[in-house]
């Protein structure tokens, strides 16, 4: 019996999984699928790239096999996700896994930021599975484009992100519209207190599935911290891309402006690079992602919000041009590389102004990252050594010193 079949999955689903190249269930799949098939609520915790999508998609599809289906189609399963990219990705994954089922399953994908009309049209006749961001879902319900009255399974994917993205109110409104009893599956890479509270309120006697990153099987993300003056980051980036012969790089920046600016600079020096942020049209984003996946585009320079949840298999290099705001974001960012067992490289640029912030990220992660310098790009501004056991007094220039130096340069 194939390993997926022994989890209790139907042959059509086993076949779809194997066609996608899934030879063995991942740890979260092995634990969550039997629990979900048994009708239990599941609280799943596993790092990014551990295969959580199939862990809920396969049970959803299998449950559909045993419910009476009608016309119009009833929404049996609702999957809530934090971003439009993730909605598209998760929806496509479910469609792919459903393809061999005897009775076709309709999967509707809805998200905000684009015109609502095509989505209303796509919901005509109903859909058994709806993958949605909470805000647009509520709009569609207001337009009577769909009903949640038949929902028997709810999935919250990337619950930490859902709350982060400011969806807490919308989420509460959606939850209030859902019938009971129903089965609830909640997945999250991290468990801040807001997610714990959500889980307590939502889940009924859940089976907890924790997949700690095991040192032996943890995909190897090599973390590097490179010291460089803030003003020289773009030339350094160009240098590293060329020296490392990096063919597919995701660069994180803090602002839309920086995304445009850095992409433009790289582009002008002959590197195929594109900006990727929330002000771009959905079409522009889709094109950029397709180009990146196909290898026509070498570098994507993205803001966190835009890059959230992007699943690109074999993304070898992630660069933190600007550091993320939180340690959680850092984990999510470096999780973009080394998905499902492949190894990856995460490079963070550290300058005098951001050293203290990076130390905080290291502390939260419980891991130190060796500081490095690249010949020709050594910082002129002094950076307090981090590996000397916290801040070293007297090493870092005071504000007064910096002002004095600036005055001396000008004078
Ligand atoms: P997560 O949601 O935990 O971040 P995903 O569900 O997006 O992870 O899966 C990450 C990648 O691993 C995807 O490219 C997916 O196709 C692949 N994947 C999922 N399950 C398996 C499996 N059992 N074997 C091999 N690859 C898998
Ligand atoms: Mg996921």
């Amino acid at each position: 019996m194939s390993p997926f079949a022994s989890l209790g999955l139907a042959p059509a689903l086993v076949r779809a999984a194997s066609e996608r190249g899934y030879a063995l269930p991942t740890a979260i799949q092995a634990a969550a699928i039997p629990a979900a098939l048994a009708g239990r609520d599941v609280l799943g915790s596993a790092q990014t790239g551990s295969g959580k999508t199939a862990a809920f998609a396969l049970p959803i599809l299998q449950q559909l096999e045993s419910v009476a289906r009608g016309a119009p189609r009833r929404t049996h399963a609702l999957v809530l996700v934090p971003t439009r990219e993730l909605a598209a990705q998760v929806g496509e994954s479910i469609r792919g896994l459903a393809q061999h089922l005897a009775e076709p399953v309709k999967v509707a994908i809805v998200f905000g930021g684009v015109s609502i009309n095509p989505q209303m049209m796509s919901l005509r006749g109903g859909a058994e599975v709806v993958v949605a961001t909470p805000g647009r879902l509520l709009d569609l319900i207001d337009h009577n484009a769909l009903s949640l009255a038949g929902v028997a399974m709810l999935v919250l994917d990337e619950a930490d992100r859902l709350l982060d993205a400011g969806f807490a109110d919308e989420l509460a409104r959606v939850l209030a519209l859902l019938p009971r009893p129903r089965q609830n599956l909640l997945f999250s890479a991290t468990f801040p207190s807001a997610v714990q509270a959500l889980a307590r309120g939502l889940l009924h006697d859940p089976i907890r599935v924790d997949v700690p990153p095991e040192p032996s099987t943890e995909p190897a993300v090599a973390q590097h911290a490179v010291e460089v003056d803030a003003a020289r980051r773009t030339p350094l980036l160009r240098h590293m891309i060329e020296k490392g012969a990096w063919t597919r790089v995701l660069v994180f920046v803090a602002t839309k402006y920086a995304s445009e600016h850095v992409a433009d600079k790289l582009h002008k020096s002959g590197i195929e690079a594109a900006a990727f942020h929330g002000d771009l049209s959905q079409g522009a984003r889709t094109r950029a992602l397709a180009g990146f996946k196909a290898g026509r585009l070498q570098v994507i320079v993205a803001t966190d919000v835009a890059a959230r949840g992007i699943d690109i298999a074999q993304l070898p290099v992630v660069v933190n041009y600007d550091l993320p705001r939180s340690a959680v974001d850092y984990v999510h960012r470096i999780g973009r590389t080394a998905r499902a067992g492949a190894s990856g490289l995460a490079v963070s640029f550290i300058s005098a102004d951001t050293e203290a912030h990076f130390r905080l990220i290291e502390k939260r992660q419980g891991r130190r990252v060796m500081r490095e310098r690249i010949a020709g790009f050594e910082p002129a501004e002094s950076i307090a050594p981090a590996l000397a056991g916290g801040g070293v007094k007297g090493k870092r220039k005071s504000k007064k010193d910096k002002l004095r130096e600036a005055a001396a340069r000008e004078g």
Side-chain angles (χ1 to χ4, degrees):
M1 202 193 280
S2 95
F4 273 98
S6 61
L7 298 179
L9 290 166
L13 295 173
V14 174
R15 184 173 157 209
S18 104
E19 281 177 5
R20 308 205 108 203
Y22 301 178
L24 287 172
T26 64
I28 188 100
Q29 290 162 3
I33 290 173
L37 289 178
R40 296 290 302 269
D41 278 11
V42 173
L43 178 57
S45 146
Q47 62 183 350
T48 308
S50 52
K52 293 190 283 295
T53 315
F56 60 77
L58 291 167
I60 286 178
L61 294 169
Q62 176 128 341
Q63 308 276 42
L64 269 174
E65 292 282 85
S66 58
V67 299
R69 312 256 290 269
R73 296 162 185 270
R74 255 176 166 231
T75 300
H76 178 84
L78 172 65
V79 180
L80 293 176
V81 297
T83 66
R84 45 188 178 183
E85 278 80 16
L86 202 54
Q89 243 168 57
V90 168
E92 287 306 330
S93 294
I94 301 176
R95 282 177 185 161
L97 290 169
Q99 65 184 330
H100 297 305
L101 294 175
E103 226 181 321
V105 171
K106 192 163 149 207
V107 180
I109 301 171
V110 302
F111 47 77
V114 296
S115 154
I116 197 169
N117 290 324
Q119 292 179 1
M120 290 181 63
M121 299 286 274
S122 80
L123 284 164
R124 281 210 185 137
E128 281 87 12
V129 181
V130 173
V131 182
T133 54
R136 176 52 60 91
L137 181 72
L138 288 167
D139 290 345
L140 287 161
I141 293 168
D142 286 345
H143 284 81
N144 290 318
L146 91 158
S147 156
L148 300 183
V151 171
M153 276 183 99
L154 169 72
V155 177
L156 300 188
D157 189 23
E158 303 213 7
D160 48 357
R161 291 274 164 199
L162 266 171
L163 295 180
D164 248 23
F167 278 133
D169 290 349
E170 275 113 335
L171 195 56
R173 284 174 56 206
V174 173
L175 296 182
L177 293 172
L178 292 171
R180 282 174 184 280
R182 61 163 197 273
Q183 187 177 6
N184 303 289
L185 314 178
L186 185 153
F187 293 91
S188 201
T190 63
F191 278 84
S193 56
V195 175
Q196 290 172 31
L198 176 68
R200 271 197 304 275
L202 185 73
L203 302 174
H204 172 72
D205 188 21
I207 291 194
R208 227 197 123 115
V209 182
D210 286 301
V211 181
E214 287 172 39
S216 53
T217 60
E218 185 183 8
V221 182
Q223 298 185 46
H224 294 261
V226 179
E227 295 181 336
V228 59
D229 287 335
R232 300 208 63 211
R233 285 174 298 174
T234 307
L236 173 60
L237 177 60
R238 195 169 63 217
H239 174 84
M240 292 182 84
I241 290 171
E242 281 163 2
K243 274 272 152 145
W246 294 344
T247 52
R248 198 171 291 175
V249 190
L250 179 57
V251 177
F252 284 97
V253 292
T255 64
K256 291 164 188 169
Y257 172 80
S259 159
E260 293 285 351
H261 185 73
V262 174
D264 189 54
K265 278 269 162 67
L266 292 176
H267 192 78
K268 285 197 172 121
S269 61
I271 293 170
E272 289 302 327
F276 197 76
H277 57 72
D279 278 359
L280 297 173
S281 69
Q282 185 62 28
R285 291 208 223 178
T286 308
R287 265 196 309 283
L289 269 187
F292 196 55
K293 284 191 181 179
R296 290 188 299 275
L297 199 59
Q298 196 175 348
V299 183
I300 279 191
V301 186
T303 59
D304 274 305
V305 176
R308 242 168 231 179
I310 296 176
D311 171 29
I312 297 166
Q314 278 135 31
L315 180 59
V317 186
V318 164
V319 176
N320 293 314
Y321 183 99
D322 288 315
L323 290 180
R325 258 194 269 183
S326 68
V328 170
D329 283 332
Y330 182 83
V331 171
H332 275 274
R333 282 185 182 186
I334 70 172
R336 303 289 126 219
T337 175
R339 291 169 88 80
S343 69
L345 176 65
V347 177
S348 299
F349 289 167
I350 314 289
S351 54
D353 288 343
T354 58
E355 164 64 31
H357 183 57
F358 192 69
R359 249 178 285 163
L360 218 65
I361 289 173
E362 289 180 300
K363 209 166 153 194
R364 294 274 163 73
Q365 232 202 143
R367 183 192 291 203
R368 279 269 165 98
V369 184
M370 188 72 78
R371 303 296 186 271
E372 299 164 40
R373 292 171 174 216
I374 308 276
F377 296 89
E378 296 89 348
E381 292 179 48
S382 87
I383 296 176
L387 295 178
V392 178
K393 267 208 176 130
K395 282 275 179 178
R396 184 191 279 269
K397 284 177 197 167
S398 71
K399 217 176 202 169
K400 249 187 209 159
D401 287 340
K402 282 188 190 167
L403 285 174
R404 249 183 242 126
E405 279 180 11
R409 272 199 300 274
E410 275 162 33

